[in-house]
Amino acid sequence: MPELPEVETVVRGLRKTVLDKTIAKVIIDAPQKSIVVSPSFKNKSFESIIKNKTIEKINRRGKNILVELSGDITLWVHLKMTGHFFYKNINIPKEKHDLVIFKFKKPDNSNTLIFNDYRRFGRLRLFCSDEIWEQKGLKELGPEPLEISSDDFVALCKSKKRMIKPALLDQKVLAGIGNIYADESLYASKIHPKRIMSSLSKKKLVELHGHIQRILSMAIDKMGSSVDTYTGVNGKTGKFQNYLKAYGKESVPCERCNRKITREKIGSRSAHYCPKCQKI
């Protein structure tokens, strides 16, 4: 699943391509569960609500994309496992997994924005802007990892008697971190993924906070990690996968001590770590 750096890259790509454009038409070829319309719109269709609306703002919250439209409407998108946005010339033939196609009014009627999702887990939801932050999946999100202060991060961790890897993946604790960046941050900090959060010293938590922010920022600069199907709006892959030191490196020697990286299931997710550098 795309994590904070990948979603931020998509948001920046959308800002460059479709911000301030007016939607002329929407073509939907998606399963019913993929498209959600708030009851506030009184049974109006997704297509009729979004037609003639202008894209005014595009932001990210955790792994969620929030597109603010004219008329106080917000399009809330979650890419899930394989969702993508692509900005393409209108003459490029439709592909099998192009589920939603946004066409624009002049002067940009020669390009389209396409939501493509071959596993069809992605969600596009329409809400009135004044109700968006009351929705489950948004209202309970934890702080942004790139915005939380060192002191607040320490206090947050000290309040959690949980293993640190599952806690970092919990979007109610921090919004946007997934398997890749949790593994990389813990490796950089030499923290075992099973360590109890509250048992870590303030010094070690400050160090972890710094590594989380450094690694996320670097990943954004490199346009994310393309370890599966992820690409940006322009169709280009990210480059941060070339800098990974733990995630996906099972049986590869640790670059610090030469011990082989271990992959272990912790909770319901896999963790990659060095058993020598990251002692329990």
Side-chain angles (χ1 to χ4, degrees):
M1 180 184 294
E3 301 179 30
L4 188 156
E6 291 76 49
V7 178
E8 180 65 26
T9 301
V10 171
V11 165
R12 293 182 183 189
L14 290 173
R15 286 176 184 154
K16 289 180 180 179
T17 53
V18 301
L19 192 62
D20 297 326
K21 293 181 177 16
T22 299
I23 298 166
K25 185 179 181 181
V26 180
I27 301 170
I28 297 177
D29 184 20
Q32 188 173 0
K33 65 181 181 180
S34 298
I35 307 295
V36 177
V37 176
S38 168
S40 299
F41 293 113
K42 299 179 180 180
N43 296 319
K44 290 183 180 179
S45 69
F46 184 97
E47 298 95 322
S48 65
I49 295 167
I50 209 168
K51 185 178 179 180
N52 296 323
K53 297 298 186 292
T54 300
I55 298 171
E56 296 182 338
K57 294 181 182 178
I58 307 170
N59 293 303
R60 178 192 57 76
R61 180 71 172 99
K63 301 176 185 179
N64 302 274
I65 299 171
L66 299 167
V67 181
E68 295 183 33
L69 305 171
S70 57
D72 294 320
I73 296 169
T74 297
L75 172 61
W76 168 22
V77 181
H78 200 301
L79 302 175
K80 294 293 183 179
M81 299 297 293
T82 59
H84 298 80
F85 273 116
F86 295 116
Y87 186 67
K88 294 183 177 181
N89 185 278
I90 199 167
N91 295 318
I92 295 176
K94 180 180 181 298
E95 296 185 6
K96 180 179 180 181
H97 302 294
D98 290 348
L99 304 187
V100 183
I101 300 173
F102 300 84
K103 295 186 176 182
F104 301 104
K105 291 188 174 183
K106 291 181 179 180
D108 192 39
N109 58 340
S110 60
N111 292 299
T112 59
L113 179 66
I114 296 169
F115 181 73
N116 177 287
D117 185 6
Y118 81 86
R119 295 189 68 179
R120 303 189 173 213
F121 292 151
R123 296 289 182 269
L124 282 72
R125 305 173 174 98
L126 275 180
F127 284 92
C128 295
S129 295
D130 61 4
E131 64 181 352
I132 190 70
W133 295 110
E134 296 304 313
Q135 305 309 312
K136 184 178 180 182
L138 287 177
K139 67 179 180 179
E140 67 271 32
L141 288 174
E144 290 285 327
L146 289 172
E147 296 176 6
I148 188 170
S149 69
S150 177
D151 287 343
D152 287 345
F153 179 78
V154 171
L156 175 67
C157 293
K158 285 293 187 181
S159 70
K160 306 292 182 185
K161 295 183 179 180
R162 300 176 58 184
M163 289 188 294
I164 194 163
K165 172 66 187 285
L168 289 177
L169 299 183
D170 186 344
Q171 300 303 291
K172 296 177 184 179
V173 177
L174 286 176
I177 295 178
N179 251 352
I180 296 173
Y181 302 103
D183 280 352
E184 291 301 302
S185 299
L186 293 174
Y187 175 84
S189 307
K190 298 183 180 180
I191 297 172
H192 194 285
K194 286 185 176 180
R195 276 294 299 271
I196 302 302
M197 258 186 160
S198 59
S199 73
L200 290 161
S201 68
K202 178 180 178 179
K203 180 180 179 181
K204 183 56 73 171
L205 289 171
V206 169
E207 181 185 351
L208 174 60
H209 174 265
H211 283 305
I212 288 173
Q213 295 197 337
R214 175 185 62 81
I215 289 168
L216 290 176
S217 296
M218 182 178 175
I220 291 170
D221 288 342
K222 300 297 181 184
M223 299 181 66
S225 299
S226 292
V227 296
D228 192 3
T229 64
Y230 161 75
T231 63
V233 173
N234 57 8
K236 294 182 180 180
T237 58
K239 293 181 172 59
F240 192 70
Q241 66 273 12
N242 299 321
Y243 298 86
L244 297 176
K245 300 180 185 301
Y247 179 82
K249 301 294 184 180
E250 182 182 6
S251 299
V252 174
C254 167
E255 66 175 35
R256 289 187 297 235
C257 71
N258 213 39
R259 183 83 172 265
K260 289 184 178 179
I261 298 293
T262 293
R263 178 176 178 269
E264 179 181 352
K265 191 172 184 179
I266 298 175
S268 61
R269 305 291 294 277
S270 294
H272 301 82
Y273 65 94
C274 173
K276 183 175 180 180
C277 295
Q278 297 168 261
K279 292 181 180 178
I280 189 64

